[in-house]
Amino acid sequence: MSAATQELQNEVAGLVVSALNLDIGPDDIDPAAPLYGEGLGLDSIDILEVALAVSKRYGFQLRADNADNVHIFSSLDSLTRHIAEHRSK
């Protein structure tokens, strides 16, 4: 992983923690662990909050009807890769 990708991943982890008011630090999120359900334990409302925060921060929409959402939100790592590919900010 490049330094820029690692920096983005750290930033995204911080965004998730901040958006959801989690009682853990960004460094406590395992990049490979599932975000939804087991792992970080997010539910569908949490995922919507994260999608809104990502849209505001990175300048692109994460649509609820996107068939790739299961993959996009499967882990911090996959969310970071998606943001890196689509961000405009």
Side-chain angles (χ1 to χ4, degrees):
M1 177 180 295
S2 72
T5 303
Q6 182 63 50
E7 184 177 325
L8 178 60
Q9 185 169 297
N10 293 343
E11 186 177 298
V12 173
L15 183 68
V16 169
V17 169
S18 175
L20 300 177
N21 235 0
L22 298 178
D23 291 332
I24 63 171
D27 294 340
D28 295 328
I29 299 176
D30 178 352
L35 294 176
Y36 189 81
E38 294 196 26
L40 193 54
L42 304 185
D43 62 21
S44 58
I45 301 298
D46 294 330
I47 295 296
L48 288 173
E49 290 288 329
V50 170
L52 179 61
V54 166
S55 295
K56 286 180 179 178
R57 174 66 180 93
Y58 297 106
F60 72 96
Q61 294 291 322
L62 287 165
R63 300 181 48 90
D65 60 352
N66 186 338
D68 292 332
N69 280 343
V70 170
H71 174 70
I72 293 167
F73 289 99
S74 64
S75 68
L76 177 63
D77 197 36
S78 62
L79 179 59
T80 300
R81 282 194 308 272
H82 185 78
I83 291 169
E85 292 172 9
H86 295 90
R87 69 181 175 174
S88 61
K89 295 182 182 179

